[in-house]
Amino acid sequence: MKLIHWWSKKKKSLMSACLAHALHDGYTDGLYAFLPVWQAEFGLSYAALAIVRALYYGTMGGLQIPADRALRGLSPRAALILSTALASAGLLIMASPFGFAGLCVGLVVAGIGSSIQHPCGSMLVTVSYGSASRHPLGIYNFSGDLGKAALPALVAVLLPSLGWQFVLGLMAVLGIALSAALVPLAPAAPIRRAATTGVASGQGRGGFAILTTVGALDTATRMGYLLFLPFLIHGQGGDTATVGLALALLFIGGAFGKATCSWLGERLGVVGSVMVTETATALLIAATLFTSLTPTLILLPLLGIVLNGTSSVLYGTVPELSDGDMGRAFAVFYTSVIGSGGLAPILYGAIADHSTQTIGVLASAATAALIVPLVLTLKPHLSTSGAGPYGKAGFSRRWMSRWIGQGRQ
């Protein structure tokens, strides 16, 4: 009976982290559906639009480490509810009749809220499952993609018939409802953090630096392309609902890519799988520039698989290359990738403003291509002859057998 209760607590912890992750990632990528509306209403250039978006994304990324340090004394329940309540409050401020200033302030407040969720949720799953946390972390990562697929599509469907402020208000209500749902699920006691086995050597730290750089460039590619996708769809004759469909197709592909890239990683290793996915990303991004609307919509799920799936391989490698403090390692990794995701679109937007939208999209494709030679330098830092935690098939089978054995104990 005690064992059943223990497993129940772990599943509740995982569920609470996944629900929060799905909502916050849905908030983050749901904002893309508002970009054409905000551009028209406030007369923004591509670069200015990227800066407005970066108020949320940059705040969320820049506060990952401070949030992890400042809130270590809080229970996961309190931290996740605080995170969701702040994000919802930010959306309500954005929806209020304060014009452009209210939009900017609300984006910052929502970003502060979302900065708490990632390190808290990742650490909760890691501590709850211990040495068997890789698969639950994959579920946690996957849950974010479910939110990315659902909320942007919902927003795009509602925007043509409802005002954008009203749609933001509905999103805030969803966050308030989730805050209530977290009460019986998330643990009420603070997490006791103990140092975990990690790589403390200079070589290990060097590998972690490469990993975070690859993650930052991968995110820059994804966010840069997402900046232009609504306008690309409009340029091909699509309306607002079609933009929502395009985002949903891309994110559904991304969710499927989590499983696909994990399977690919088991056979090619971290380095090989990243090389394959980034090469495919660059080629598919370029292809959507030269297709009409229907072929583009057909390509988007395929692009989503490689555009979003790479992150699961990179994310799962963080514990191996951390220095033992996995909470801080996840915070640093998220700071790198989210900060890049906030700043890179500004660069791509400026490129597009001074040239064309096509050049801006090609710049994001070139970033994916740049990752291919860079990830080769990660190989000496990984276990199993550079294969990493997804390593050779035999290593993967041994790990899976050990995980299943722990689950039966």
Side-chain angles (χ1 to χ4, degrees), residues 10-24 76 80 84 117-118 120-126 128-129 136-137 139-141 143-144 178 182 185-187:
K10 292 201 300 183
K11 289 181 179 179
K12 285 182 179 180
S13 296
L14 178 61
M15 178 64 72
S16 64
C18 288
L19 287 174
H21 195 198
L23 179 79
H24 285 267
L80 290 177
T84 305
Q117 182 271 138
H118 276 126
C120 177
S122 301
M123 194 64 192
L124 174 59
V125 175
T126 302
S128 296
Y129 283 84
L137 280 173
I139 296 174
Y140 169 76
N141 201 15
S143 68
L178 177 66
L182 289 173
L185 292 175

PDB file of all heavy atoms in Angstrom, residues 10-24 76 80 84 117-118 120-126 128-129 136-137 139-141 143-144 178 182 185-187:
ATOM      1  N   LYS A  10       4.353  10.376  -7.188  1.00  0.00           N
ATOM      2  CA  LYS A  10       5.208  10.697  -8.322  1.00  0.00           C
ATOM      3  C   LYS A  10       4.378  11.080  -9.536  1.00  0.00           C
ATOM      4  O   LYS A  10       4.692  12.043 -10.248  1.00  0.00           O
ATOM      5  CB  LYS A  10       6.121   9.513  -8.654  1.00  0.00           C
ATOM      6  CG  LYS A  10       7.171   9.224  -7.594  1.00  0.00           C
ATOM      7  CD  LYS A  10       8.329   8.422  -8.146  1.00  0.00           C
ATOM      8  CE  LYS A  10       7.897   7.093  -8.699  1.00  0.00           C
ATOM      9  NZ  LYS A  10       9.058   6.303  -9.169  1.00  0.00           N
ATOM     10  N   LYS A  11       3.322  10.338  -9.791  1.00  0.00           N
ATOM     11  CA  LYS A  11       2.482  10.628 -10.955  1.00  0.00           C
ATOM     12  C   LYS A  11       1.767  11.967 -10.799  1.00  0.00           C
ATOM     13  O   LYS A  11       1.601  12.707 -11.771  1.00  0.00           O
ATOM     14  CB  LYS A  11       1.470   9.502 -11.157  1.00  0.00           C
ATOM     15  CG  LYS A  11       2.114   8.211 -11.654  1.00  0.00           C
ATOM     16  CD  LYS A  11       1.075   7.125 -11.857  1.00  0.00           C
ATOM     17  CE  LYS A  11       1.714   5.847 -12.376  1.00  0.00           C
ATOM     18  NZ  LYS A  11       0.732   4.753 -12.563  1.00  0.00           N
ATOM     19  N   LYS A  12       1.349  12.287  -9.584  1.00  0.00           N
ATOM     20  CA  LYS A  12       0.727  13.589  -9.348  1.00  0.00           C
ATOM     21  C   LYS A  12       1.729  14.718  -9.594  1.00  0.00           C
ATOM     22  O   LYS A  12       1.378  15.748 -10.180  1.00  0.00           O
ATOM     23  CB  LYS A  12       0.194  13.669  -7.912  1.00  0.00           C
ATOM     24  CG  LYS A  12      -1.084  12.889  -7.661  1.00  0.00           C
ATOM     25  CD  LYS A  12      -1.547  13.085  -6.235  1.00  0.00           C
ATOM     26  CE  LYS A  12      -2.854  12.333  -5.980  1.00  0.00           C
ATOM     27  NZ  LYS A  12      -3.315  12.516  -4.575  1.00  0.00           N
ATOM     28  N   SER A  13       2.954  14.520  -9.142  1.00  0.00           N
ATOM     29  CA  SER A  13       3.987  15.529  -9.376  1.00  0.00           C
ATOM     30  C   SER A  13       4.229  15.724 -10.863  1.00  0.00           C
ATOM     31  O   SER A  13       4.340  16.857 -11.351  1.00  0.00           O
ATOM     32  CB  SER A  13       5.288  15.117  -8.675  1.00  0.00           C
ATOM     33  OG  SER A  13       5.133  15.074  -7.280  1.00  0.00           O
ATOM     34  N   LEU A  14       4.327  14.600 -11.581  1.00  0.00           N
ATOM     35  CA  LEU A  14       4.532  14.684 -13.021  1.00  0.00           C
ATOM     36  C   LEU A  14       3.351  15.374 -13.697  1.00  0.00           C
ATOM     37  O   LEU A  14       3.535  16.225 -14.582  1.00  0.00           O
ATOM     38  CB  LEU A  14       4.733  13.281 -13.602  1.00  0.00           C
ATOM     39  CG  LEU A  14       4.917  13.193 -15.119  1.00  0.00           C
ATOM     40  CD1 LEU A  14       6.152  13.971 -15.565  1.00  0.00           C
ATOM     41  CD2 LEU A  14       5.021  11.733 -15.560  1.00  0.00           C
ATOM     42  N   MET A  15       2.145  15.046 -13.285  1.00  0.00           N
ATOM     43  CA  MET A  15       0.950  15.649 -13.872  1.00  0.00           C
ATOM     44  C   MET A  15       0.922  17.154 -13.632  1.00  0.00           C
ATOM     45  O   MET A  15       0.613  17.942 -14.536  1.00  0.00           O
ATOM     46  CB  MET A  15      -0.302  15.001 -13.284  1.00  0.00           C
ATOM     47  CG  MET A  15      -1.612  15.599 -13.799  1.00  0.00           C
ATOM     48  SD  MET A  15      -1.852  15.363 -15.561  1.00  0.00           S
ATOM     49  CE  MET A  15      -2.186  13.604 -15.601  1.00  0.00           C
ATOM     50  N   SER A  16       1.252  17.579 -12.417  1.00  0.00           N
ATOM     51  CA  SER A  16       1.233  19.013 -12.113  1.00  0.00           C
ATOM     52  C   SER A  16       2.273  19.762 -12.948  1.00  0.00           C
ATOM     53  O   SER A  16       1.985  20.839 -13.480  1.00  0.00           O
ATOM     54  CB  SER A  16       1.475  19.244 -10.618  1.00  0.00           C
ATOM     55  OG  SER A  16       2.770  18.818 -10.231  1.00  0.00           O
ATOM     56  N   ALA A  17       3.465  19.182 -13.070  1.00  0.00           N
ATOM     57  CA  ALA A  17       4.509  19.825 -13.875  1.00  0.00           C
ATOM     58  C   ALA A  17       4.101  19.888 -15.344  1.00  0.00           C
ATOM     59  O   ALA A  17       4.311  20.900 -16.020  1.00  0.00           O
ATOM     60  CB  ALA A  17       5.825  19.066 -13.717  1.00  0.00           C
ATOM     61  N   CYS A  18       3.502  18.809 -15.849  1.00  0.00           N
ATOM     62  CA  CYS A  18       3.100  18.763 -17.261  1.00  0.00           C
ATOM     63  C   CYS A  18       1.975  19.746 -17.560  1.00  0.00           C
ATOM     64  O   CYS A  18       1.987  20.414 -18.610  1.00  0.00           O
ATOM     65  CB  CYS A  18       2.667  17.346 -17.640  1.00  0.00           C
ATOM     66  SG  CYS A  18       4.022  16.159 -17.765  1.00  0.00           S
ATOM     67  N   LEU A  19       0.995  19.859 -16.666  1.00  0.00           N
ATOM     68  CA  LEU A  19      -0.097  20.806 -16.887  1.00  0.00           C
ATOM     69  C   LEU A  19       0.418  22.239 -16.931  1.00  0.00           C
ATOM     70  O   LEU A  19       0.027  23.030 -17.801  1.00  0.00           O
ATOM     71  CB  LEU A  19      -1.153  20.659 -15.789  1.00  0.00           C
ATOM     72  CG  LEU A  19      -2.037  19.407 -15.852  1.00  0.00           C
ATOM     73  CD1 LEU A  19      -2.926  19.323 -14.611  1.00  0.00           C
ATOM     74  CD2 LEU A  19      -2.894  19.426 -17.111  1.00  0.00           C
ATOM     75  N   ALA A  20       1.307  22.571 -15.986  1.00  0.00           N
ATOM     76  CA  ALA A  20       1.869  23.916 -15.972  1.00  0.00           C
ATOM     77  C   ALA A  20       2.702  24.168 -17.227  1.00  0.00           C
ATOM     78  O   ALA A  20       2.628  25.244 -17.836  1.00  0.00           O
ATOM     79  CB  ALA A  20       2.722  24.110 -14.713  1.00  0.00           C
ATOM     80  N   HIS A  21       3.493  23.169 -17.628  1.00  0.00           N
ATOM     81  CA  HIS A  21       4.337  23.316 -18.819  1.00  0.00           C
ATOM     82  C   HIS A  21       3.485  23.515 -20.065  1.00  0.00           C
ATOM     83  O   HIS A  21       3.780  24.369 -20.912  1.00  0.00           O
ATOM     84  CB  HIS A  21       5.231  22.084 -18.968  1.00  0.00           C
ATOM     85  CG  HIS A  21       6.357  22.280 -19.919  1.00  0.00           C
ATOM     86  ND1 HIS A  21       7.060  21.230 -20.474  1.00  0.00           N
ATOM     87  CD2 HIS A  21       6.919  23.399 -20.419  1.00  0.00           C
ATOM     88  CE1 HIS A  21       8.003  21.703 -21.266  1.00  0.00           C
ATOM     89  NE2 HIS A  21       7.937  23.018 -21.257  1.00  0.00           N
ATOM     90  N   ALA A  22       2.420  22.743 -20.193  1.00  0.00           N
ATOM     91  CA  ALA A  22       1.545  22.857 -21.364  1.00  0.00           C
ATOM     92  C   ALA A  22       0.920  24.242 -21.441  1.00  0.00           C
ATOM     93  O   ALA A  22       0.879  24.867 -22.512  1.00  0.00           O
ATOM     94  CB  ALA A  22       0.454  21.782 -21.319  1.00  0.00           C
ATOM     95  N   LEU A  23       0.440  24.751 -20.309  1.00  0.00           N
ATOM     96  CA  LEU A  23      -0.199  26.063 -20.319  1.00  0.00           C
ATOM     97  C   LEU A  23       0.802  27.156 -20.661  1.00  0.00           C
ATOM     98  O   LEU A  23       0.539  28.011 -21.517  1.00  0.00           O
ATOM     99  CB  LEU A  23      -0.837  26.350 -18.961  1.00  0.00           C
ATOM    100  CG  LEU A  23      -1.509  27.721 -18.893  1.00  0.00           C
ATOM    101  CD1 LEU A  23      -2.879  27.678 -19.562  1.00  0.00           C
ATOM    102  CD2 LEU A  23      -1.635  28.226 -17.469  1.00  0.00           C
ATOM    103  N   HIS A  24       1.961  27.143 -19.999  1.00  0.00           N
ATOM    104  CA  HIS A  24       2.926  28.228 -20.201  1.00  0.00           C
ATOM    105  C   HIS A  24       3.528  28.195 -21.604  1.00  0.00           C
ATOM    106  O   HIS A  24       3.736  29.256 -22.217  1.00  0.00           O
ATOM    107  CB  HIS A  24       4.018  28.159 -19.131  1.00  0.00           C
ATOM    108  CG  HIS A  24       3.566  28.635 -17.792  1.00  0.00           C
ATOM    109  ND1 HIS A  24       3.723  29.932 -17.352  1.00  0.00           N
ATOM    110  CD2 HIS A  24       2.931  27.989 -16.780  1.00  0.00           C
ATOM    111  CE1 HIS A  24       3.217  30.076 -16.145  1.00  0.00           C
ATOM    112  NE2 HIS A  24       2.734  28.898 -15.766  1.00  0.00           N
ATOM    113  N   PRO A  76       6.789  23.111  -4.493  1.00  0.00           N
ATOM    114  CA  PRO A  76       6.404  23.103  -5.910  1.00  0.00           C
ATOM    115  C   PRO A  76       4.985  23.620  -6.128  1.00  0.00           C
ATOM    116  O   PRO A  76       4.708  24.290  -7.123  1.00  0.00           O
ATOM    117  CB  PRO A  76       6.531  21.622  -6.293  1.00  0.00           C
ATOM    118  CG  PRO A  76       7.557  21.076  -5.363  1.00  0.00           C
ATOM    119  CD  PRO A  76       7.332  21.809  -4.066  1.00  0.00           C
ATOM    120  N   LEU A  80       4.518  26.768  -8.591  1.00  0.00           N
ATOM    121  CA  LEU A  80       3.780  26.604  -9.849  1.00  0.00           C
ATOM    122  C   LEU A  80       2.519  27.465  -9.876  1.00  0.00           C
ATOM    123  O   LEU A  80       2.162  28.031 -10.915  1.00  0.00           O
ATOM    124  CB  LEU A  80       3.431  25.136 -10.068  1.00  0.00           C
ATOM    125  CG  LEU A  80       4.604  24.206 -10.393  1.00  0.00           C
ATOM    126  CD1 LEU A  80       4.135  22.755 -10.505  1.00  0.00           C
ATOM    127  CD2 LEU A  80       5.300  24.629 -11.693  1.00  0.00           C
ATOM    128  N   THR A  84       1.836  30.531 -12.505  1.00  0.00           N
ATOM    129  CA  THR A  84       0.650  30.585 -13.361  1.00  0.00           C
ATOM    130  C   THR A  84      -0.197  31.817 -13.074  1.00  0.00           C
ATOM    131  O   THR A  84      -0.735  32.443 -14.000  1.00  0.00           O
ATOM    132  CB  THR A  84      -0.186  29.310 -13.165  1.00  0.00           C
ATOM    133  OG1 THR A  84       0.652  28.158 -13.409  1.00  0.00           O
ATOM    134  CG2 THR A  84      -1.361  29.265 -14.118  1.00  0.00           C
ATOM    135  N   GLN A 117       8.271  28.689 -13.910  1.00  0.00           N
ATOM    136  CA  GLN A 117       7.745  27.356 -14.206  1.00  0.00           C
ATOM    137  C   GLN A 117       8.797  26.362 -14.661  1.00  0.00           C
ATOM    138  O   GLN A 117       8.822  25.218 -14.197  1.00  0.00           O
ATOM    139  CB  GLN A 117       6.639  27.480 -15.263  1.00  0.00           C
ATOM    140  CG  GLN A 117       5.978  26.175 -15.640  1.00  0.00           C
ATOM    141  CD  GLN A 117       6.681  25.466 -16.781  1.00  0.00           C
ATOM    142  OE1 GLN A 117       6.853  24.249 -16.761  1.00  0.00           O
ATOM    143  NE2 GLN A 117       7.134  26.206 -17.781  1.00  0.00           N
ATOM    144  N   HIS A 118       9.680  26.766 -15.595  1.00  0.00           N
ATOM    145  CA  HIS A 118      10.601  25.798 -16.194  1.00  0.00           C
ATOM    146  C   HIS A 118      11.562  25.148 -15.194  1.00  0.00           C
ATOM    147  O   HIS A 118      11.597  23.923 -15.096  1.00  0.00           O
ATOM    148  CB  HIS A 118      11.387  26.450 -17.336  1.00  0.00           C
ATOM    149  CG  HIS A 118      10.645  26.450 -18.638  1.00  0.00           C
ATOM    150  ND1 HIS A 118      10.428  27.594 -19.371  1.00  0.00           N
ATOM    151  CD2 HIS A 118      10.064  25.448 -19.332  1.00  0.00           C
ATOM    152  CE1 HIS A 118       9.742  27.295 -20.458  1.00  0.00           C
ATOM    153  NE2 HIS A 118       9.510  26.003 -20.463  1.00  0.00           N
ATOM    154  N   CYS A 120      11.370  25.027 -11.960  1.00  0.00           N
ATOM    155  CA  CYS A 120      10.602  24.355 -10.911  1.00  0.00           C
ATOM    156  C   CYS A 120      10.043  23.034 -11.425  1.00  0.00           C
ATOM    157  O   CYS A 120      10.168  21.995 -10.771  1.00  0.00           O
ATOM    158  CB  CYS A 120       9.477  25.258 -10.430  1.00  0.00           C
ATOM    159  SG  CYS A 120       8.402  24.487  -9.201  1.00  0.00           S
ATOM    160  N   GLY A 121       9.414  23.051 -12.600  1.00  0.00           N
ATOM    161  CA  GLY A 121       8.835  21.831 -13.149  1.00  0.00           C
ATOM    162  C   GLY A 121       9.879  20.784 -13.459  1.00  0.00           C
ATOM    163  O   GLY A 121       9.701  19.592 -13.160  1.00  0.00           O
ATOM    164  N   SER A 122      10.999  21.193 -14.064  1.00  0.00           N
ATOM    165  CA  SER A 122      12.061  20.247 -14.399  1.00  0.00           C
ATOM    166  C   SER A 122      12.644  19.602 -13.146  1.00  0.00           C
ATOM    167  O   SER A 122      12.875  18.390 -13.103  1.00  0.00           O
ATOM    168  CB  SER A 122      13.178  20.964 -15.166  1.00  0.00           C
ATOM    169  OG  SER A 122      12.693  21.551 -16.349  1.00  0.00           O
ATOM    170  N   MET A 123      12.880  20.425 -12.123  1.00  0.00           N
ATOM    171  CA  MET A 123      13.457  19.909 -10.891  1.00  0.00           C
ATOM    172  C   MET A 123      12.475  18.992 -10.174  1.00  0.00           C
ATOM    173  O   MET A 123      12.866  17.960  -9.612  1.00  0.00           O
ATOM    174  CB  MET A 123      13.862  21.066  -9.977  1.00  0.00           C
ATOM    175  CG  MET A 123      14.769  20.656  -8.833  1.00  0.00           C
ATOM    176  SD  MET A 123      16.346  20.030  -9.442  1.00  0.00           S
ATOM    177  CE  MET A 123      17.013  19.315  -7.947  1.00  0.00           C
ATOM    178  N   LEU A 124      11.199  19.333 -10.192  1.00  0.00           N
ATOM    179  CA  LEU A 124      10.183  18.494  -9.552  1.00  0.00           C
ATOM    180  C   LEU A 124      10.158  17.105 -10.177  1.00  0.00           C
ATOM    181  O   LEU A 124      10.129  16.093  -9.465  1.00  0.00           O
ATOM    182  CB  LEU A 124       8.808  19.153  -9.681  1.00  0.00           C
ATOM    183  CG  LEU A 124       7.598  18.340  -9.192  1.00  0.00           C
ATOM    184  CD1 LEU A 124       7.747  17.982  -7.719  1.00  0.00           C
ATOM    185  CD2 LEU A 124       6.305  19.118  -9.436  1.00  0.00           C
ATOM    186  N   VAL A 125      10.190  17.025 -11.500  1.00  0.00           N
ATOM    187  CA  VAL A 125      10.180  15.729 -12.178  1.00  0.00           C
ATOM    188  C   VAL A 125      11.474  14.960 -11.884  1.00  0.00           C
ATOM    189  O   VAL A 125      11.452  13.756 -11.599  1.00  0.00           O
ATOM    190  CB  VAL A 125       9.995  15.916 -13.694  1.00  0.00           C
ATOM    191  CG1 VAL A 125      10.109  14.581 -14.419  1.00  0.00           C
ATOM    192  CG2 VAL A 125       8.648  16.557 -13.987  1.00  0.00           C
ATOM    193  N   THR A 126      12.603  15.665 -11.946  1.00  0.00           N
ATOM    194  CA  THR A 126      13.897  15.014 -11.719  1.00  0.00           C
ATOM    195  C   THR A 126      13.998  14.434 -10.317  1.00  0.00           C
ATOM    196  O   THR A 126      14.421  13.288 -10.119  1.00  0.00           O
ATOM    197  CB  THR A 126      15.047  16.011 -11.950  1.00  0.00           C
ATOM    198  OG1 THR A 126      14.964  16.526 -13.277  1.00  0.00           O
ATOM    199  CG2 THR A 126      16.399  15.335 -11.763  1.00  0.00           C
ATOM    200  N   SER A 128      11.476  13.742  -8.262  1.00  0.00           N
ATOM    201  CA  SER A 128      10.429  12.747  -8.025  1.00  0.00           C
ATOM    202  C   SER A 128      10.820  11.370  -8.550  1.00  0.00           C
ATOM    203  O   SER A 128      10.511  10.349  -7.939  1.00  0.00           O
ATOM    204  CB  SER A 128       9.115  13.183  -8.679  1.00  0.00           C
ATOM    205  OG  SER A 128       8.639  14.369  -8.100  1.00  0.00           O
ATOM    206  N   TYR A 129      11.521  11.335  -9.696  1.00  0.00           N
ATOM    207  CA  TYR A 129      11.823  10.051 -10.335  1.00  0.00           C
ATOM    208  C   TYR A 129      13.281   9.627 -10.193  1.00  0.00           C
ATOM    209  O   TYR A 129      13.622   8.510 -10.558  1.00  0.00           O
ATOM    210  CB  TYR A 129      11.448  10.118 -11.825  1.00  0.00           C
ATOM    211  CG  TYR A 129       9.960   9.996 -12.050  1.00  0.00           C
ATOM    212  CD1 TYR A 129       9.142  11.114 -11.953  1.00  0.00           C
ATOM    213  CD2 TYR A 129       9.372   8.771 -12.328  1.00  0.00           C
ATOM    214  CE1 TYR A 129       7.760  11.020 -12.139  1.00  0.00           C
ATOM    215  CE2 TYR A 129       7.994   8.661 -12.524  1.00  0.00           C
ATOM    216  CZ  TYR A 129       7.205   9.791 -12.426  1.00  0.00           C
ATOM    217  OH  TYR A 129       5.852   9.704 -12.608  1.00  0.00           O
ATOM    218  N   PRO A 136      10.269  10.333 -17.763  1.00  0.00           N
ATOM    219  CA  PRO A 136       9.342  11.363 -17.298  1.00  0.00           C
ATOM    220  C   PRO A 136       9.703  12.768 -17.788  1.00  0.00           C
ATOM    221  O   PRO A 136       8.815  13.566 -18.080  1.00  0.00           O
ATOM    222  CB  PRO A 136       9.445  11.264 -15.771  1.00  0.00           C
ATOM    223  CG  PRO A 136       9.847   9.863 -15.521  1.00  0.00           C
ATOM    224  CD  PRO A 136      10.787   9.521 -16.641  1.00  0.00           C
ATOM    225  N   LEU A 137      11.004  13.078 -17.880  1.00  0.00           N
ATOM    226  CA  LEU A 137      11.401  14.378 -18.425  1.00  0.00           C
ATOM    227  C   LEU A 137      10.976  14.504 -19.887  1.00  0.00           C
ATOM    228  O   LEU A 137      10.608  15.592 -20.348  1.00  0.00           O
ATOM    229  CB  LEU A 137      12.915  14.572 -18.300  1.00  0.00           C
ATOM    230  CG  LEU A 137      13.435  14.995 -16.934  1.00  0.00           C
ATOM    231  CD1 LEU A 137      14.956  14.974 -16.911  1.00  0.00           C
ATOM    232  CD2 LEU A 137      12.923  16.385 -16.555  1.00  0.00           C
ATOM    233  N   ILE A 139       8.292  13.104 -21.116  1.00  0.00           N
ATOM    234  CA  ILE A 139       6.848  13.374 -21.047  1.00  0.00           C
ATOM    235  C   ILE A 139       6.613  14.841 -20.717  1.00  0.00           C
ATOM    236  O   ILE A 139       5.748  15.512 -21.304  1.00  0.00           O
ATOM    237  CB  ILE A 139       6.184  12.463 -20.006  1.00  0.00           C
ATOM    238  CG1 ILE A 139       6.296  10.993 -20.419  1.00  0.00           C
ATOM    239  CG2 ILE A 139       4.721  12.849 -19.798  1.00  0.00           C
ATOM    240  CD1 ILE A 139       5.799  10.022 -19.374  1.00  0.00           C
ATOM    241  N   TYR A 140       7.380  15.368 -19.757  1.00  0.00           N
ATOM    242  CA  TYR A 140       7.274  16.780 -19.381  1.00  0.00           C
ATOM    243  C   TYR A 140       7.569  17.677 -20.578  1.00  0.00           C
ATOM    244  O   TYR A 140       6.840  18.646 -20.848  1.00  0.00           O
ATOM    245  CB  TYR A 140       8.246  17.056 -18.232  1.00  0.00           C
ATOM    246  CG  TYR A 140       8.432  18.517 -17.901  1.00  0.00           C
ATOM    247  CD1 TYR A 140       7.446  19.215 -17.204  1.00  0.00           C
ATOM    248  CD2 TYR A 140       9.588  19.186 -18.266  1.00  0.00           C
ATOM    249  CE1 TYR A 140       7.622  20.553 -16.889  1.00  0.00           C
ATOM    250  CE2 TYR A 140       9.768  20.524 -17.959  1.00  0.00           C
ATOM    251  CZ  TYR A 140       8.781  21.198 -17.268  1.00  0.00           C
ATOM    252  OH  TYR A 140       8.962  22.529 -16.970  1.00  0.00           O
ATOM    253  N   ASN A 141       8.623  17.358 -21.318  1.00  0.00           N
ATOM    254  CA  ASN A 141       8.976  18.137 -22.500  1.00  0.00           C
ATOM    255  C   ASN A 141       7.877  18.047 -23.555  1.00  0.00           C
ATOM    256  O   ASN A 141       7.505  19.040 -24.190  1.00  0.00           O
ATOM    257  CB  ASN A 141      10.303  17.612 -23.063  1.00  0.00           C
ATOM    258  CG  ASN A 141      11.008  18.619 -23.938  1.00  0.00           C
ATOM    259  OD1 ASN A 141      10.695  19.809 -23.938  1.00  0.00           O
ATOM    260  ND2 ASN A 141      11.979  18.149 -24.696  1.00  0.00           N
ATOM    261  N   SER A 143       4.719  17.541 -23.067  1.00  0.00           N
ATOM    262  CA  SER A 143       3.502  18.254 -22.658  1.00  0.00           C
ATOM    263  C   SER A 143       3.528  19.709 -23.108  1.00  0.00           C
ATOM    264  O   SER A 143       2.476  20.289 -23.419  1.00  0.00           O
ATOM    265  CB  SER A 143       3.337  18.186 -21.129  1.00  0.00           C
ATOM    266  OG  SER A 143       4.344  18.936 -20.467  1.00  0.00           O
ATOM    267  N   GLY A 144       4.723  20.296 -23.142  1.00  0.00           N
ATOM    268  CA  GLY A 144       4.820  21.661 -23.632  1.00  0.00           C
ATOM    269  C   GLY A 144       4.379  21.774 -25.078  1.00  0.00           C
ATOM    270  O   GLY A 144       3.748  22.759 -25.477  1.00  0.00           O
ATOM    271  N   LEU A 178      -6.326  26.573 -14.030  1.00  0.00           N
ATOM    272  CA  LEU A 178      -5.226  25.636 -13.816  1.00  0.00           C
ATOM    273  C   LEU A 178      -4.606  25.820 -12.440  1.00  0.00           C
ATOM    274  O   LEU A 178      -4.220  24.842 -11.781  1.00  0.00           O
ATOM    275  CB  LEU A 178      -4.163  25.817 -14.899  1.00  0.00           C
ATOM    276  CG  LEU A 178      -2.926  24.930 -14.730  1.00  0.00           C
ATOM    277  CD1 LEU A 178      -3.296  23.462 -14.894  1.00  0.00           C
ATOM    278  CD2 LEU A 178      -1.839  25.306 -15.718  1.00  0.00           C
ATOM    279  N   LEU A 182      -3.954  22.792  -9.675  1.00  0.00           N
ATOM    280  CA  LEU A 182      -2.632  22.410  -9.163  1.00  0.00           C
ATOM    281  C   LEU A 182      -2.642  22.137  -7.660  1.00  0.00           C
ATOM    282  O   LEU A 182      -1.752  21.455  -7.148  1.00  0.00           O
ATOM    283  CB  LEU A 182      -1.611  23.517  -9.469  1.00  0.00           C
ATOM    284  CG  LEU A 182      -1.207  23.680 -10.930  1.00  0.00           C
ATOM    285  CD1 LEU A 182      -0.337  24.922 -11.109  1.00  0.00           C
ATOM    286  CD2 LEU A 182      -0.460  22.450 -11.427  1.00  0.00           C
ATOM    287  N   LEU A 185      -2.609  18.478  -6.765  1.00  0.00           N
ATOM    288  CA  LEU A 185      -1.635  17.684  -7.508  1.00  0.00           C
ATOM    289  C   LEU A 185      -0.191  17.938  -7.084  1.00  0.00           C
ATOM    290  O   LEU A 185       0.574  16.997  -6.858  1.00  0.00           O
ATOM    291  CB  LEU A 185      -1.780  17.965  -9.014  1.00  0.00           C
ATOM    292  CG  LEU A 185      -3.057  17.478  -9.698  1.00  0.00           C
ATOM    293  CD1 LEU A 185      -3.095  17.941 -11.147  1.00  0.00           C
ATOM    294  CD2 LEU A 185      -3.166  15.958  -9.632  1.00  0.00           C
ATOM    295  N   ALA A 186       0.188  19.195  -6.991  1.00  0.00           N
ATOM    296  CA  ALA A 186       1.594  19.524  -6.729  1.00  0.00           C
ATOM    297  C   ALA A 186       1.928  19.335  -5.254  1.00  0.00           C
ATOM    298  O   ALA A 186       1.101  19.606  -4.379  1.00  0.00           O
ATOM    299  CB  ALA A 186       1.882  20.958  -7.165  1.00  0.00           C
ATOM    300  N   PRO A 187       3.153  18.880  -4.956  1.00  0.00           N
ATOM    301  CA  PRO A 187       3.556  18.663  -3.558  1.00  0.00           C
ATOM    302  C   PRO A 187       3.562  19.960  -2.758  1.00  0.00           C
ATOM    303  O   PRO A 187       3.945  21.017  -3.262  1.00  0.00           O
ATOM    304  CB  PRO A 187       4.978  18.099  -3.682  1.00  0.00           C
ATOM    305  CG  PRO A 187       5.064  17.556  -5.067  1.00  0.00           C
ATOM    306  CD  PRO A 187       4.189  18.427  -5.904  1.00  0.00           C
TER     307      PRO A 187
END
